[in-house]
């Protein structure tokens, strides 16, 4: 690596005004994440035209699909944070090794889901209480997504390598290209347009994995062509237990958070199916719609994490604090907009999914009630990424456990005992209050134990 490249990287991550740096880093990823959210919704819109059972199957597939993506994302988070910290400390050889270990771990993740996709796909739906028709739809969809998951694993890890060196514009291209490919292929493969075979719900799955594979190819290409700060050479790679352990130490809490989210969704599906499969479909629709709020915030996180990690390595606490404050401000603005849409346009949002009268009756109060947790969620999401960037991913996991397993699932069950499905939705804002309290406590611990000593060092 040349001195010019080193200085350019250092100047951007450690010297550029924080607000402008965060916008520069995060905006491309926020745009690409919005496109990702769009294709998630479009996927379900087209599937809903097959039948409500098909839409329910996609909703029930969400916990496993979310776990798959979460594993790749968690490994990417661990790799990204450590790689950025090594760059901040000018440990370039270690940064290269961290990149290669991240790629290796993601390939291992693909092998795991390949095996699961061939063995448990249909049983996963039966376990949730799905009817035979829904289980058949679910198997056709989920088995494809899992068996071709190498696309999403490679997309995630190579995008994180670009993000760790500040090249977020390229991740916008990769994610956007993949999402647009999915959107275009969805109706073609589902309904058999332009001479393509009519594949039904399996067509939606093939459209999804095709977009992921294209995004992976682009991400790999960009890394070799423009990401000169990292030198990837698998020929010289030998797995090292310590490097793997370091990535997992930061990344596994993120994976476990997603796993906890999948367990939560699985549990809620089992509770809601007692009311009706329509209630499960509504819950799935909510999760698709809420991605329009959360995906841009996750893009903001992706821009924020390498900034914090770099400045943590460079021992610049004031830049860390300002980055977090800016992140919380922008996240809350996004969440406030999403809250307004769900409060004032719930009918229009539900009609996107060809909602029946029964689905509309359950869905409108659900969107209005659940969305109150948006007002607090921006802070919680930013705080969790802050913990990971500072090497305290365990805090993020503890917050997630508190919110989803200690409060949310038990509340959903207790409120469901009333026999009134509309009461169930109040569990989300109540659980979010608990999340905010936990995040505030852990932030104060990091400020006291890490940032304050760091400030004293610099005086």
């Amino acid at each position: 690596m040349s001195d010019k490249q080193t200085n350019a990287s250092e100047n951007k991550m450690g010297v550029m005004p924080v607000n402008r740096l965060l916008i520069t880093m995060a905006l491309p990823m926020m745009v690409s994440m919005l496109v990702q959210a769009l294709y998630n919704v479009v996927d379900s819109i087209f599937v809903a035209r097959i039948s409500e059972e098909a839409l329910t199957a996609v909703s029930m597939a969400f916990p496993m699909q979310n776990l798959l993506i979460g594993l790749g994302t968690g490994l990417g988070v661990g790799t990204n944070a450590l790689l950025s910290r090594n760059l901040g400390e000018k440990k370039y050889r270690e940064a290269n090794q961290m990149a290669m270990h991240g790629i290796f771990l993601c390939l291992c993740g693909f092998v795991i889901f390949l095996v699961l996709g061939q063995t448990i796909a249909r049983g996963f739906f039966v376990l949730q209480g799905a009817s035979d028709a829904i289980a058949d739809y679910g198997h056709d969809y989920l088995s494809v997504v899992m068996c071709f998951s190498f696309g999403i694993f490679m997309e995630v890890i190579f995008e994180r390598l670009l993000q760790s060196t500040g090249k977020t514009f390229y991740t916008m291209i990769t994610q956007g290209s993949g999402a647009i490919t999915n959107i275009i292929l969805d109706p073609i493969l589902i309904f058999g347009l332009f001479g393509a075979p009519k594949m039904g719900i399996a067509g939606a799955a093939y459209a999804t994995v095709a977009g992921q594979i294209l995004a992976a190819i682009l991400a790999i290409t960009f890394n070799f062509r423009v990401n000169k700060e990292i030198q990837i050479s698998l020929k010289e790679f030998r797995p090292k237990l310590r490097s793997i352990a370091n990535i997992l130490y930061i990344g596994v809490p993120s994976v476990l958070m997603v796993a906890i989210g999948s367990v939560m969704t699985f549990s809620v599906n089992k509770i809601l199916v007692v009311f009706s499969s329509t209630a499960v479909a509504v819950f799935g629709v909510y999760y698709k719609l809420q991605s329009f709020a959360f995906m841009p915030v996750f893009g903001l996180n992706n821009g924020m994490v390498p900034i914090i990690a770099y400045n943590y390595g460079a021992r610049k606490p004031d830049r860390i604090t300002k980055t977090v404050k800016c992140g919380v401000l922008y996240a809350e603005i996004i969440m406030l907009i999403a809250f307004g849409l769900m409060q004032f346009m719930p009918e229009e949002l539900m009609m996107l999914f060809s909602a029946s009268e029964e689905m509309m009756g359950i869905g409108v109060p659900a969107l209005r009630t659940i969305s109150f947790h948006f007002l607090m969620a921006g802070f919680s999401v930013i705080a969790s990424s802050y913990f990971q960037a500072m090497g305290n991913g365990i805090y993020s996991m503890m917050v997630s456990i508190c919110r989803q397993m200690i409060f949310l699932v038990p509340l959903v069950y207790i409120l469901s005992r009333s026999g009134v499905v509309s009461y169930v939705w109040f569990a989300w804002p109540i659980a979010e209050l608990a999340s905010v309290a936990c995040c505030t406590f852990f932030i104060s611990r990091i400020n006291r134990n890490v940032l304050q000593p760091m400030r004293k060092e610099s005086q």
Side-chain angles (χ1 to χ4, degrees):
M1 183 189 309
S2 69
D3 291 339
K4 182 178 180 180
Q5 289 169 329
T6 302
N7 291 336
S9 177
E10 184 177 7
N11 287 341
K12 182 173 183 177
M13 303 290 280
V15 181
M16 182 185 289
V18 167
N19 190 48
R20 181 154 61 94
L21 176 62
L22 181 59
I23 292 173
T24 301
M25 293 277 288
L27 191 58
M29 285 183 285
M30 292 171 70
V31 172
S32 63
M33 286 290 193
L34 269 175
V35 178
Q36 292 273 322
L38 176 63
Y39 96 68
N40 285 336
V41 170
V42 170
D43 221 32
S44 292
I45 289 173
F46 284 121
V47 167
R49 295 183 182 180
I50 300 173
S51 68
E52 189 173 296
E53 287 84 0
L55 179 61
T56 304
V58 171
S59 299
M60 286 185 161
F62 178 78
M64 185 63 72
Q65 197 171 3
N66 190 46
L67 182 61
L68 188 162
I69 296 172
L71 177 58
T73 301
L75 295 174
V77 165
T79 304
N80 191 349
L82 291 169
L83 200 157
S84 295
R85 189 184 304 174
N86 283 325
L87 290 176
E89 295 172 348
K90 297 181 172 54
K91 297 179 179 178
Y92 303 113
R93 181 179 177 82
E94 289 83 349
N96 294 335
Q97 285 293 317
M98 207 57 65
M100 291 185 286
H101 277 83
I103 296 169
F104 169 75
L105 287 172
C106 281
L107 288 173
C108 293
F110 158 64
V111 172
I112 292 170
F113 277 91
L114 173 63
V115 173
L116 292 177
Q118 294 176 330
T119 55
I120 68 164
R122 193 179 192 280
F124 179 72
F125 294 89
V126 174
L127 194 59
Q128 292 181 81
S131 65
D132 287 341
I134 293 173
D136 288 340
Y137 276 128
H139 172 267
D140 292 345
Y141 179 83
L142 190 58
S143 60
V144 173
V145 170
M146 295 172 72
C147 290
F148 289 89
S149 60
F150 62 87
I152 187 63
F153 276 108
M154 290 300 97
E155 175 190 351
V156 168
I157 189 61
F158 280 95
E159 284 176 350
R160 290 303 184 275
L161 299 186
L162 291 167
Q163 292 164 14
S164 66
T165 57
K167 294 177 174 59
T168 56
F169 174 77
Y170 294 98
T171 64
M172 180 179 69
I173 296 175
T174 59
Q175 292 180 2
S177 299
I180 292 170
T181 298
N182 189 352
I183 292 170
I184 293 172
L185 290 179
D186 257 333
I188 294 174
L189 298 181
I190 291 172
F191 304 113
L193 305 180
F194 307 116
K198 184 177 181 180
M199 304 174 73
I201 195 170
Y206 280 113
T208 295
V209 298
Q212 293 168 349
I213 292 170
L214 173 64
I217 292 171
L218 290 174
I220 293 169
T221 302
F222 287 141
N223 267 282
F224 281 102
R225 289 191 175 182
V226 304
N227 205 6
K228 304 303 182 183
E229 289 87 347
I230 300 172
Q231 305 297 323
I232 300 172
S233 178
L234 294 179
K235 291 181 180 179
E236 302 175 1
F237 172 69
R238 297 292 184 276
K240 295 181 179 178
L241 186 59
R242 183 174 181 179
S243 296
I244 292 173
N246 288 337
I247 291 175
L248 294 179
Y249 180 76
I250 295 177
V252 164
S254 180
V255 177
L256 290 177
M257 282 192 299
V258 175
I260 291 164
S262 293
V263 172
M264 179 275 292
T265 308
F266 181 91
S267 302
V268 171
N269 283 343
K270 284 186 69 69
I271 294 169
L272 291 176
V273 80
V274 175
F275 289 99
S276 67
S277 62
T278 301
V280 177
V282 166
F283 182 49
V285 165
Y286 158 72
Y287 257 93
K288 297 292 184 179
L289 291 173
Q290 60 98 38
S291 66
F292 276 107
F294 282 92
M295 291 293 270
V297 177
F298 293 153
L300 181 64
N301 284 349
N302 290 340
M304 186 184 76
V305 165
I307 297 172
I308 294 174
Y310 183 96
N311 285 285
Y312 180 36
R315 316 300 286 177
K316 297 182 178 180
D318 291 340
R319 289 178 64 80
I320 294 172
T321 301
K322 189 168 183 180
T323 302
V324 174
K325 288 180 178 178
C326 289
V328 170
L329 174 62
Y330 295 139
E332 287 296 333
I333 290 172
I334 293 168
M335 288 297 184
L336 185 61
I337 294 171
F339 172 75
L341 290 174
M342 288 204 176
Q343 290 299 312
F344 298 110
M345 297 179 60
E347 294 89 353
E348 291 81 358
L349 294 173
M350 291 300 303
M351 284 308 299
L352 291 173
F353 301 88
S354 307
S356 62
E357 185 175 345
E358 180 186 3
M359 193 172 176
M360 189 70 75
I362 297 174
V364 169
L367 296 186
R368 283 181 170 152
T369 303
I370 296 177
S371 61
F372 273 98
H373 91 94
F374 287 1
L375 300 177
M376 300 167 278
F379 171 78
S380 299
V381 173
I382 294 295
S384 291
S385 291
Y386 171 54
F387 302 150
Q388 292 166 356
M390 295 293 289
N392 293 97
I394 190 70
Y395 289 172
S396 299
M397 184 178 68
M398 292 172 69
V399 170
S400 186
I401 292 172
C402 176
R403 178 184 180 274
Q404 300 189 82
M405 302 310 297
I406 296 178
F407 284 91
L408 185 56
V409 171
L411 281 170
V412 168
Y413 176 75
I414 291 168
L415 294 172
S416 72
R417 303 297 292 173
S418 67
V420 181
V421 70
S422 60
Y423 290 173
V424 170
W425 315 123
F426 286 97
W428 274 262
I430 296 172
E432 199 63 57
L433 283 170
S435 176
V436 169
C438 290
C439 288
T440 302
F441 173 73
F442 289 133
I443 285 175
S444 67
R445 281 181 61 90
I446 291 178
N447 287 344
R448 182 174 64 254
N449 297 331
V450 180
L451 294 187
Q452 289 181 11
M454 198 182 294
R455 288 190 177 94
K456 291 179 181 178
E457 290 176 10
S458 60
Q459 289 177 354

